Amino acid sequence: MKLFIPGPVQVSEKTFAAFCQPMIGHRSGDFKKLYASIHPRLQELFQTKQPVFLSTSSAWGVMEGAIRNLVGSGTVLNCMCGAFSDKWFDVSKKCGKDAVALQVEWDQPIRGEQVWRQLKDGAFDAVTVIHNETSTGVMSPLAEIAEVMREFPDTLLIVDSVSSFSAVPIPMDALGIDVLLTGSQKALALPPGLALFSASAKAFARAETVKGRGYYFDFLEFKKNQQQDMTPSTPSIPHIYALQSKLDDIFAEGIAVRHARHAELNAMVHDWVRRSGFEFFAPDGYRSKTLTCVANNRNIDVPALLKNLKDRHGLVIDGGYGKLKGQTFRLSNMGDETKETIAALLAALDDSLPR
């Protein structure tokens, strides 16, 4: 089976082979060399001069960790436009934080003006934004939100880029992002289990004032250990070997070329949506570049489409997330996909659509 779901995405044989390198001690000189060898390229991908950290967890670990590290006795504003950004609000409350919801409809992005209206009337420790809401295919205008945040320097900006990182430009330092985090299993095309993040000097200064940060996701522990090319706790060393291999691929292709490839493949899917008589769930101008959430305006039998694709062609797509199940279906073009693989997916969709 070949995956065209929006995570985990298909993993190449080359990447899987990298997992099989001999094991090394995570406190050894060999591990330090491994981490040090990939760190400059990670900084280039994050577009930051700050350290980049490796967390053996899903991205949710760092998402919760960011709340615990950057929100003290104050309030966090959770921007909510889909299933995963809605869940971040729930996580904030379960961490015992005073959380305020900026809720928009699932087919709409978070706009800078909406954030500004919330921040102008109250003091907030932090704002959380999911750049590319995977459940809906909506990409919020990050530069617009970041520009608003400049008016509120005491409020820190936490950004989830799990399904956009490395596929579109996200200049962390230039935008003034305080925490930028991602996961391994989407645009990076690695298996699940590794999260990557970077934090600003302001974020570290805030963390120093916050009690109850815990240990596993304590940003100060990550910083202290990274200075010695180590992680606070035992890492998944095979994931880091695979990441090293993936970075080789990314930089051989070229970052700008990688961005352009994702845009080109995304446009191919969008052309198919239009000519097939479907509509987009996300509005024009705010559609993801890594996946397409297709509105089921034709009222097809989505489970039948998924079954036909799987049985006839060995391809797997997503039939809609959460409350959108059956009302939408999602097609991924992220990771290692090419014009040839996307063309094959679209031809298979044509063959598999219920008649």
Side-chain angles (χ1 to χ4, degrees), residues 160-221:
D160 167 322
S161 65
V162 170
S163 59
S164 58
F165 181 79
S166 84
V168 300
I170 308 176
M172 176 178 168
D173 287 356
L175 291 175
I177 297 171
D178 293 294
V179 175
L180 180 63
L181 64 98
T182 191
S184 56
Q185 77 279 12
K186 295 187 186 285
L188 283 173
L190 297 167
L194 185 69
L196 304 85
F197 72 102
S198 186
S200 70
K202 283 169 53 177
F204 290 124
R206 173 67 59 75
E208 289 176 353
T209 70
V210 175
K211 297 180 180 179
R213 297 187 303 272
Y215 172 76
Y216 197 83
F217 297 108
D218 183 350
F219 284 9
L220 300 185
E221 288 290 336

Short mmCIF file of all heavy atoms in Angstrom, two decimals, residues 160-221:
data_model
loop_
_atom_site.label_atom_id
_atom_site.label_comp_id
_atom_site.label_asym_id
_atom_site.label_seq_id
_atom_site.Cartn_x
_atom_site.Cartn_y
_atom_site.Cartn_z
N ASP A 160 2.89 25.84 15.41
CA ASP A 160 2.95 24.45 14.96
C ASP A 160 3.07 24.47 13.44
O ASP A 160 2.21 25.02 12.75
CB ASP A 160 1.67 23.74 15.41
CG ASP A 160 1.45 22.38 14.77
OD1 ASP A 160 1.76 22.22 13.58
OD2 ASP A 160 0.93 21.49 15.44
N SER A 161 4.15 23.86 12.93
CA SER A 161 4.33 23.79 11.47
C SER A 161 4.44 22.34 11.02
O SER A 161 5.13 22.03 10.04
CB SER A 161 5.60 24.56 11.06
OG SER A 161 6.77 23.94 11.58
N VAL A 162 3.72 21.45 11.70
CA VAL A 162 3.90 20.02 11.48
C VAL A 162 3.70 19.61 10.02
O VAL A 162 4.45 18.81 9.48
CB VAL A 162 2.97 19.21 12.41
CG1 VAL A 162 2.97 17.74 12.04
CG2 VAL A 162 3.42 19.36 13.86
N SER A 163 2.69 20.16 9.35
CA SER A 163 2.42 19.75 7.97
C SER A 163 2.83 20.80 6.94
O SER A 163 2.46 20.70 5.78
CB SER A 163 0.95 19.38 7.79
OG SER A 163 0.11 20.47 8.10
N SER A 164 3.63 21.79 7.36
CA SER A 164 4.13 22.79 6.40
C SER A 164 5.64 22.92 6.44
O SER A 164 6.24 23.40 5.47
CB SER A 164 3.49 24.16 6.67
OG SER A 164 3.73 24.61 7.99
N PHE A 165 6.28 22.50 7.52
CA PHE A 165 7.72 22.67 7.68
C PHE A 165 8.48 21.97 6.56
O PHE A 165 8.22 20.81 6.24
CB PHE A 165 8.16 22.10 9.04
CG PHE A 165 9.62 22.26 9.31
CD1 PHE A 165 10.13 23.46 9.73
CD2 PHE A 165 10.49 21.20 9.11
CE1 PHE A 165 11.49 23.61 9.98
CE2 PHE A 165 11.85 21.33 9.35
CZ PHE A 165 12.35 22.55 9.79
N SER A 166 9.41 22.68 5.98
CA SER A 166 10.29 22.26 4.88
C SER A 166 9.58 22.25 3.53
O SER A 166 10.23 22.07 2.50
CB SER A 166 10.93 20.88 5.13
OG SER A 166 10.10 19.80 4.75
N ALA A 167 8.26 22.46 3.51
CA ALA A 167 7.52 22.48 2.25
C ALA A 167 7.22 23.90 1.78
O ALA A 167 7.01 24.13 0.59
CB ALA A 167 6.21 21.70 2.39
N VAL A 168 7.17 24.83 2.71
CA VAL A 168 6.98 26.25 2.40
C VAL A 168 7.96 27.04 3.27
O VAL A 168 8.37 26.57 4.34
CB VAL A 168 5.53 26.73 2.65
CG1 VAL A 168 4.54 25.96 1.80
CG2 VAL A 168 5.18 26.61 4.13
N PRO A 169 8.35 28.24 2.86
CA PRO A 169 9.28 29.02 3.68
C PRO A 169 8.62 29.47 4.99
O PRO A 169 7.51 29.98 5.00
CB PRO A 169 9.60 30.24 2.79
CG PRO A 169 9.18 29.86 1.42
CD PRO A 169 8.04 28.90 1.57
N ILE A 170 9.33 29.25 6.12
CA ILE A 170 8.89 29.75 7.43
C ILE A 170 10.13 30.34 8.10
O ILE A 170 10.83 29.65 8.85
CB ILE A 170 8.27 28.64 8.30
CG1 ILE A 170 7.17 27.89 7.55
CG2 ILE A 170 7.70 29.25 9.59
CD1 ILE A 170 6.58 26.72 8.32
N PRO A 171 10.43 31.61 7.84
CA PRO A 171 11.63 32.24 8.42
C PRO A 171 11.42 32.59 9.89
O PRO A 171 10.91 33.66 10.22
CB PRO A 171 11.82 33.48 7.55
CG PRO A 171 10.45 33.83 7.06
CD PRO A 171 9.71 32.52 6.92
N MET A 172 11.81 31.69 10.76
CA MET A 172 11.52 31.84 12.19
C MET A 172 12.02 33.16 12.75
O MET A 172 11.26 33.91 13.38
CB MET A 172 12.14 30.67 12.95
CG MET A 172 11.97 30.79 14.47
SD MET A 172 12.67 29.38 15.35
CE MET A 172 12.62 30.02 17.03
N ASP A 173 13.29 33.46 12.56
CA ASP A 173 13.85 34.67 13.17
C ASP A 173 13.26 35.93 12.55
O ASP A 173 12.94 36.89 13.26
CB ASP A 173 15.38 34.67 13.01
CG ASP A 173 16.06 33.67 13.94
OD1 ASP A 173 15.36 33.03 14.74
OD2 ASP A 173 17.29 33.54 13.85
N ALA A 174 13.12 35.95 11.23
CA ALA A 174 12.60 37.14 10.56
C ALA A 174 11.17 37.44 10.97
O ALA A 174 10.78 38.60 11.08
CB ALA A 174 12.70 36.97 9.04
N LEU A 175 10.38 36.40 11.20
CA LEU A 175 8.99 36.59 11.61
C LEU A 175 8.85 36.88 13.10
O LEU A 175 7.80 37.35 13.54
CB LEU A 175 8.16 35.36 11.26
CG LEU A 175 7.92 35.09 9.77
CD1 LEU A 175 7.18 33.78 9.57
CD2 LEU A 175 7.15 36.24 9.12
N GLY A 176 9.88 36.58 13.87
CA GLY A 176 9.79 36.79 15.32
C GLY A 176 9.03 35.69 16.03
O GLY A 176 8.42 35.93 17.08
N ILE A 177 9.07 34.48 15.49
CA ILE A 177 8.41 33.34 16.14
C ILE A 177 9.22 32.93 17.37
O ILE A 177 10.44 32.81 17.31
CB ILE A 177 8.28 32.16 15.16
CG1 ILE A 177 7.39 32.56 13.97
CG2 ILE A 177 7.72 30.93 15.86
CD1 ILE A 177 7.38 31.54 12.85
N ASP A 178 8.54 32.71 18.48
CA ASP A 178 9.23 32.36 19.72
C ASP A 178 9.41 30.87 19.91
O ASP A 178 10.40 30.43 20.52
CB ASP A 178 8.49 32.97 20.91
CG ASP A 178 8.57 34.49 20.88
OD1 ASP A 178 9.67 35.03 21.04
OD2 ASP A 178 7.51 35.13 20.66
N VAL A 179 8.49 30.07 19.43
CA VAL A 179 8.67 28.62 19.38
C VAL A 179 8.13 28.14 18.03
O VAL A 179 6.96 28.39 17.71
CB VAL A 179 7.95 27.88 20.52
CG1 VAL A 179 8.10 26.37 20.33
CG2 VAL A 179 8.50 28.30 21.87
N LEU A 180 8.98 27.49 17.27
CA LEU A 180 8.56 26.86 16.01
C LEU A 180 8.80 25.37 16.17
O LEU A 180 9.92 24.94 16.47
CB LEU A 180 9.36 27.41 14.84
CG LEU A 180 9.00 26.84 13.46
CD1 LEU A 180 7.56 27.18 13.09
CD2 LEU A 180 9.96 27.36 12.38
N LEU A 181 7.76 24.59 15.97
CA LEU A 181 7.86 23.14 16.19
C LEU A 181 7.30 22.38 15.01
O LEU A 181 6.44 22.88 14.27
CB LEU A 181 7.12 22.76 17.48
CG LEU A 181 5.62 22.99 17.51
CD1 LEU A 181 4.86 21.69 17.20
CD2 LEU A 181 5.17 23.54 18.85
N THR A 182 7.78 21.17 14.86
CA THR A 182 7.28 20.30 13.80
C THR A 182 7.45 18.85 14.21
O THR A 182 8.04 18.55 15.26
CB THR A 182 8.00 20.58 12.47
OG1 THR A 182 7.30 19.91 11.41
CG2 THR A 182 9.44 20.10 12.49
N GLY A 183 6.91 17.96 13.40
CA GLY A 183 7.03 16.52 13.64
C GLY A 183 7.65 15.84 12.44
O GLY A 183 7.77 16.41 11.36
N SER A 184 8.02 14.60 12.62
CA SER A 184 8.80 13.90 11.59
C SER A 184 7.96 13.29 10.48
O SER A 184 8.46 13.05 9.38
CB SER A 184 9.62 12.79 12.26
OG SER A 184 8.79 11.91 13.01
N GLN A 185 6.67 13.04 10.72
CA GLN A 185 5.91 12.11 9.88
C GLN A 185 5.12 12.77 8.76
O GLN A 185 4.40 12.08 8.04
CB GLN A 185 4.94 11.29 10.75
CG GLN A 185 3.69 12.03 11.21
CD GLN A 185 3.89 12.93 12.41
OE1 GLN A 185 5.02 13.21 12.81
NE2 GLN A 185 2.81 13.39 12.99
N LYS A 186 5.25 14.07 8.59
CA LYS A 186 4.47 14.71 7.53
C LYS A 186 5.40 15.22 6.42
O LYS A 186 5.93 14.40 5.67
CB LYS A 186 3.57 15.79 8.11
CG LYS A 186 2.49 15.19 9.04
CD LYS A 186 1.49 16.20 9.51
CE LYS A 186 0.53 15.61 10.53
NZ LYS A 186 -0.48 14.71 9.94
N ALA A 187 5.62 16.51 6.30
CA ALA A 187 6.40 17.01 5.16
C ALA A 187 7.84 16.49 5.17
O ALA A 187 8.47 16.40 4.11
CB ALA A 187 6.38 18.53 5.14
N LEU A 188 8.38 16.14 6.33
CA LEU A 188 9.74 15.61 6.38
C LEU A 188 9.82 14.16 5.90
O LEU A 188 10.92 13.64 5.65
CB LEU A 188 10.31 15.71 7.80
CG LEU A 188 10.79 17.11 8.23
CD1 LEU A 188 11.17 17.11 9.70
CD2 LEU A 188 11.95 17.58 7.37
N ALA A 189 8.68 13.49 5.80
CA ALA A 189 8.61 12.13 5.25
C ALA A 189 9.48 11.14 6.01
O ALA A 189 10.18 10.31 5.44
CB ALA A 189 8.96 12.12 3.76
N LEU A 190 9.43 11.23 7.34
CA LEU A 190 10.05 10.25 8.23
C LEU A 190 8.95 9.51 8.98
O LEU A 190 7.81 9.99 9.06
CB LEU A 190 10.96 10.95 9.23
CG LEU A 190 12.16 11.72 8.68
CD1 LEU A 190 12.75 12.61 9.77
CD2 LEU A 190 13.22 10.76 8.17
N PRO A 191 9.24 8.37 9.56
CA PRO A 191 8.23 7.72 10.41
C PRO A 191 7.91 8.58 11.63
O PRO A 191 8.71 9.42 12.06
CB PRO A 191 8.91 6.41 10.82
CG PRO A 191 9.90 6.15 9.75
CD PRO A 191 10.42 7.50 9.36
N PRO A 192 6.74 8.38 12.24
CA PRO A 192 6.38 9.13 13.44
C PRO A 192 7.34 8.82 14.59
O PRO A 192 7.95 7.75 14.63
CB PRO A 192 4.97 8.63 13.77
CG PRO A 192 4.48 7.96 12.53
CD PRO A 192 5.68 7.44 11.83
N GLY A 193 7.45 9.76 15.51
CA GLY A 193 8.20 9.49 16.73
C GLY A 193 9.27 10.51 17.07
O GLY A 193 9.90 10.41 18.12
N LEU A 194 9.49 11.50 16.19
CA LEU A 194 10.49 12.53 16.45
C LEU A 194 9.86 13.90 16.24
O LEU A 194 9.17 14.13 15.25
CB LEU A 194 11.68 12.37 15.50
CG LEU A 194 12.87 13.32 15.73
CD1 LEU A 194 13.58 12.98 17.04
CD2 LEU A 194 13.85 13.24 14.56
N ALA A 195 10.08 14.79 17.19
CA ALA A 195 9.66 16.19 17.06
C ALA A 195 10.90 17.06 17.05
O ALA A 195 11.93 16.74 17.66
CB ALA A 195 8.74 16.58 18.21
N LEU A 196 10.83 18.17 16.33
CA LEU A 196 11.92 19.13 16.24
C LEU A 196 11.38 20.50 16.60
O LEU A 196 10.25 20.84 16.22
CB LEU A 196 12.52 19.18 14.83
CG LEU A 196 13.02 17.87 14.21
CD1 LEU A 196 11.89 17.10 13.53
CD2 LEU A 196 14.12 18.15 13.19
N PHE A 197 12.17 21.29 17.31
CA PHE A 197 11.70 22.63 17.63
C PHE A 197 12.87 23.56 17.93
O PHE A 197 13.99 23.12 18.23
CB PHE A 197 10.72 22.62 18.80
CG PHE A 197 11.31 22.34 20.16
CD1 PHE A 197 11.54 23.37 21.07
CD2 PHE A 197 11.62 21.04 20.56
CE1 PHE A 197 12.07 23.11 22.34
CE2 PHE A 197 12.14 20.78 21.82
CZ PHE A 197 12.37 21.82 22.72
N SER A 198 12.58 24.85 17.84
CA SER A 198 13.54 25.87 18.21
C SER A 198 12.80 26.93 19.01
O SER A 198 11.58 27.09 18.86
CB SER A 198 14.20 26.49 16.97
OG SER A 198 15.23 27.39 17.34
N ALA A 199 13.54 27.63 19.86
CA ALA A 199 12.93 28.63 20.74
C ALA A 199 13.80 29.88 20.76
O ALA A 199 15.03 29.80 20.67
CB ALA A 199 12.76 28.07 22.15
N SER A 200 13.16 31.03 20.88
CA SER A 200 13.84 32.31 20.88
C SER A 200 14.46 32.61 22.24
O SER A 200 14.16 31.95 23.25
CB SER A 200 12.85 33.42 20.53
OG SER A 200 11.92 33.61 21.60
N ALA A 201 15.32 33.64 22.28
CA ALA A 201 15.89 34.08 23.55
C ALA A 201 14.78 34.53 24.50
O ALA A 201 14.86 34.29 25.72
CB ALA A 201 16.88 35.21 23.30
N LYS A 202 13.74 35.17 23.97
CA LYS A 202 12.61 35.58 24.81
C LYS A 202 11.91 34.37 25.42
O LYS A 202 11.47 34.42 26.58
CB LYS A 202 11.61 36.40 23.98
CG LYS A 202 12.02 37.82 23.72
CD LYS A 202 11.13 38.49 22.68
CE LYS A 202 9.66 38.40 22.99
NZ LYS A 202 8.82 39.11 22.00
N ALA A 203 11.83 33.30 24.66
CA ALA A 203 11.17 32.10 25.18
C ALA A 203 11.97 31.50 26.34
O ALA A 203 11.40 31.10 27.36
CB ALA A 203 11.01 31.07 24.06
N PHE A 204 13.28 31.45 26.19
CA PHE A 204 14.11 30.93 27.28
C PHE A 204 14.01 31.82 28.52
O PHE A 204 13.95 31.34 29.66
CB PHE A 204 15.56 30.79 26.84
CG PHE A 204 15.79 29.70 25.83
CD1 PHE A 204 16.38 30.00 24.61
CD2 PHE A 204 15.42 28.40 26.08
CE1 PHE A 204 16.59 29.00 23.67
CE2 PHE A 204 15.63 27.40 25.15
CZ PHE A 204 16.22 27.71 23.93
N ALA A 205 14.00 33.14 28.30
CA ALA A 205 13.88 34.07 29.43
C ALA A 205 12.56 33.87 30.15
O ALA A 205 12.50 33.90 31.39
CB ALA A 205 14.02 35.51 28.94
N ARG A 206 11.49 33.65 29.41
CA ARG A 206 10.20 33.39 30.03
C ARG A 206 10.23 32.08 30.80
O ARG A 206 9.73 32.00 31.94
CB ARG A 206 9.11 33.35 28.95
CG ARG A 206 7.73 32.92 29.45
CD ARG A 206 7.07 33.92 30.39
NE ARG A 206 6.90 35.20 29.75
CZ ARG A 206 5.97 35.49 28.82
NH1 ARG A 206 5.11 34.56 28.44
NH2 ARG A 206 5.90 36.68 28.30
N ALA A 207 10.79 31.04 30.18
CA ALA A 207 10.82 29.73 30.84
C ALA A 207 11.53 29.80 32.19
O ALA A 207 11.14 29.10 33.14
CB ALA A 207 11.49 28.71 29.94
N GLU A 208 12.54 30.63 32.29
CA GLU A 208 13.27 30.76 33.56
C GLU A 208 12.39 31.27 34.70
O GLU A 208 12.68 31.03 35.87
CB GLU A 208 14.47 31.69 33.37
CG GLU A 208 15.58 31.08 32.52
CD GLU A 208 16.70 32.06 32.27
OE1 GLU A 208 16.56 33.26 32.64
OE2 GLU A 208 17.73 31.66 31.69
N THR A 209 11.29 31.94 34.35
CA THR A 209 10.41 32.52 35.37
C THR A 209 9.22 31.63 35.70
O THR A 209 8.46 31.93 36.62
CB THR A 209 9.87 33.88 34.89
OG1 THR A 209 8.93 33.69 33.81
CG2 THR A 209 10.99 34.79 34.43
N VAL A 210 9.04 30.56 34.94
CA VAL A 210 7.84 29.71 35.07
C VAL A 210 8.16 28.48 35.90
O VAL A 210 9.11 27.74 35.60
CB VAL A 210 7.30 29.31 33.69
CG1 VAL A 210 6.12 28.34 33.83
CG2 VAL A 210 6.88 30.54 32.90
N LYS A 211 7.37 28.24 36.91
CA LYS A 211 7.52 27.05 37.73
C LYS A 211 6.65 25.92 37.17
O LYS A 211 5.67 26.16 36.46
CB LYS A 211 7.13 27.34 39.17
CG LYS A 211 8.02 28.38 39.86
CD LYS A 211 7.58 28.63 41.29
CE LYS A 211 8.47 29.66 41.97
NZ LYS A 211 8.04 29.93 43.37
N GLY A 212 6.99 24.70 37.52
CA GLY A 212 6.17 23.57 37.10
C GLY A 212 6.31 23.23 35.63
O GLY A 212 5.36 22.77 35.00
N ARG A 213 7.53 23.47 35.07
CA ARG A 213 7.73 23.16 33.66
C ARG A 213 7.82 21.66 33.42
O ARG A 213 7.76 21.20 32.28
CB ARG A 213 9.03 23.80 33.15
CG ARG A 213 9.07 25.32 33.19
CD ARG A 213 10.33 25.84 32.51
NE ARG A 213 11.54 25.30 33.09
CZ ARG A 213 12.19 25.83 34.12
NH1 ARG A 213 11.71 26.93 34.71
NH2 ARG A 213 13.30 25.28 34.58
N GLY A 214 7.99 20.87 34.50
CA GLY A 214 8.24 19.45 34.34
C GLY A 214 9.69 19.22 33.96
O GLY A 214 10.53 20.13 34.01
N TYR A 215 10.00 18.00 33.53
CA TYR A 215 11.37 17.69 33.13
C TYR A 215 11.48 17.31 31.67
O TYR A 215 12.30 17.84 30.93
CB TYR A 215 11.95 16.55 33.98
CG TYR A 215 13.30 16.10 33.46
CD1 TYR A 215 14.45 16.86 33.68
CD2 TYR A 215 13.42 14.94 32.68
CE1 TYR A 215 15.67 16.48 33.16
CE2 TYR A 215 14.65 14.54 32.16
CZ TYR A 215 15.76 15.32 32.41
OH TYR A 215 16.98 14.95 31.89
N TYR A 216 10.66 16.38 31.20
CA TYR A 216 10.86 15.80 29.87
C TYR A 216 10.83 16.87 28.78
O TYR A 216 11.58 16.79 27.80
CB TYR A 216 9.79 14.73 29.59
CG TYR A 216 10.14 13.82 28.44
CD1 TYR A 216 10.98 12.72 28.62
CD2 TYR A 216 9.64 14.06 27.17
CE1 TYR A 216 11.30 11.89 27.56
CE2 TYR A 216 9.96 13.23 26.10
CZ TYR A 216 10.80 12.14 26.30
OH TYR A 216 11.12 11.31 25.25
N PHE A 217 9.98 17.89 28.94
CA PHE A 217 9.88 18.94 27.93
C PHE A 217 10.33 20.30 28.47
O PHE A 217 9.89 21.35 27.98
CB PHE A 217 8.45 19.03 27.39
CG PHE A 217 8.01 17.78 26.68
CD1 PHE A 217 7.10 16.92 27.26
CD2 PHE A 217 8.55 17.44 25.46
CE1 PHE A 217 6.70 15.76 26.62
CE2 PHE A 217 8.17 16.28 24.80
CZ PHE A 217 7.25 15.43 25.39
N ASP A 218 11.20 20.29 29.44
CA ASP A 218 11.75 21.54 29.99
C ASP A 218 12.69 22.16 28.96
O ASP A 218 13.74 21.58 28.65
CB ASP A 218 12.48 21.25 31.29
CG ASP A 218 13.01 22.51 31.97
OD1 ASP A 218 12.98 23.60 31.35
OD2 ASP A 218 13.47 22.40 33.12
N PHE A 219 12.34 23.33 28.43
CA PHE A 219 13.15 23.96 27.41
C PHE A 219 14.57 24.26 27.90
O PHE A 219 15.53 24.20 27.12
CB PHE A 219 12.49 25.26 26.94
CG PHE A 219 11.32 25.07 26.02
CD1 PHE A 219 10.78 23.81 25.79
CD2 PHE A 219 10.74 26.16 25.38
CE1 PHE A 219 9.70 23.64 24.95
CE2 PHE A 219 9.67 26.00 24.52
CZ PHE A 219 9.13 24.74 24.30
N LEU A 220 14.71 24.57 29.17
CA LEU A 220 16.04 24.89 29.69
C LEU A 220 16.92 23.65 29.73
O LEU A 220 18.14 23.72 29.52
CB LEU A 220 15.93 25.52 31.08
CG LEU A 220 15.12 26.82 31.14
CD1 LEU A 220 15.17 27.42 32.54
CD2 LEU A 220 15.62 27.84 30.11
N GLU A 221 16.32 22.48 29.98
CA GLU A 221 17.06 21.23 29.92
C GLU A 221 17.51 20.94 28.48
O GLU A 221 18.64 20.48 28.24
CB GLU A 221 16.23 20.08 30.46
CG GLU A 221 16.02 20.10 31.97
CD GLU A 221 17.30 19.79 32.73
OE1 GLU A 221 18.20 19.13 32.17
OE2 GLU A 221 17.40 20.20 33.90
#
